[in-house]
Amino acid sequence: MASTTVLTPTSKPQTLPSIKSRPTTANATPQPLPLKQPPPLRRHFLTLSAGCILSPLFLSPLTPAFASSDEEYVKDAEYVITKVRTTINMDKNDPNIATAVADLRDASNNWVAKYRREKALIGKASFRDIYSALNAVSGHYISFGPTAPIPAKRKARILEEMDTAEKALSRGR
């Protein structure tokens, strides 16, 4: 064991006393060396999964999950448009309004989840108008509850967006 020296500006270097280890007792039994344990399962799993992911089979180009054809988009868009119109035109005292709003929110969430990643559809006027109207309707019902009537100005804008979306759908836009 090497000894260390302490330097102070006014004194000459001195060596520190070495640290002595404790004497062991005669009765102490020596500890066996730990056996080499297998790597944790997590590490083994990650190694195997990385090998599978990086295999040439998985490196082949993946095709995007194309949602559907144009006919299906038009059919789904028309369904959502009619659902929005019937739901926002319901009377606030109608006992079925809560279920109608829940159905509308479910249909709009499904429609948005299905079509929002389609690059070919994002630029279409019909998609933009329907998406905007669905955001307005969903935002209103989330904020104010399913029985709160939509204000007249917002309702008029939503219905106007639905009309323009229908016109765009009929023109293939």
Side-chain angles (χ1 to χ4, degrees):
M1 179 174 186
S3 63
T4 59
T5 58
V6 176
L7 298 177
T8 57
T10 58
S11 66
K12 59 182 182 176
Q14 299 175 357
T15 60
L16 292 175
S18 63
I19 300 174
K20 296 180 181 177
S21 61
R22 291 185 182 169
T24 58
T25 61
N27 294 344
T29 58
Q31 296 291 330
L33 293 175
L35 298 174
K36 186 173 181 178
Q37 296 178 353
L41 291 176
R42 176 184 47 193
R43 186 181 305 159
H44 187 64
F45 171 75
L46 290 175
T47 304
L48 288 176
S49 62
C52 290
I53 290 172
L54 297 178
S55 71
L57 176 66
F58 291 104
L59 291 178
S60 64
L62 298 174
T63 58
F66 190 71
S68 62
S69 64
D70 284 340
E71 295 97 27
E72 188 175 353
Y73 168 73
V74 171
K75 184 183 75 160
D76 289 345
E78 287 173 350
Y79 173 74
V80 168
I81 289 171
T82 56
K83 195 84 162 156
V84 167
R85 281 191 179 138
T86 56
T87 303
I88 66 174
N89 286 325
M90 289 178 82
D91 186 33
K92 71 176 185 176
N93 296 326
D94 191 348
N96 298 326
I97 189 135
T99 57
V101 169
D103 290 343
L104 172 64
R105 290 195 54 214
D106 187 43
S108 65
N109 286 341
N110 290 336
W111 187 86
V112 169
K114 187 174 183 179
Y115 294 112
R116 75 170 163 211
R117 291 202 173 113
E118 295 295 327
K119 300 217 185 279
L121 299 177
I122 290 175
K124 289 188 172 195
S126 61
F127 178 84
R128 182 184 60 240
D129 289 337
I130 294 171
Y131 192 84
S132 174
L134 290 177
N135 276 339
V137 171
S138 294
H140 173 79
Y141 287 129
I142 288 171
S143 297
F144 302 108
T147 57
I150 295 180
K153 195 172 183 180
R154 184 177 297 156
K155 186 176 182 180
R157 185 181 64 95
I158 291 169
L159 291 174
E160 181 182 334
E161 285 179 341
M162 291 292 130
D163 290 338
T164 58
E166 262 188 338
K167 288 177 188 173
L169 278 174
S170 67
R171 295 177 185 159
R173 296 181 186 169

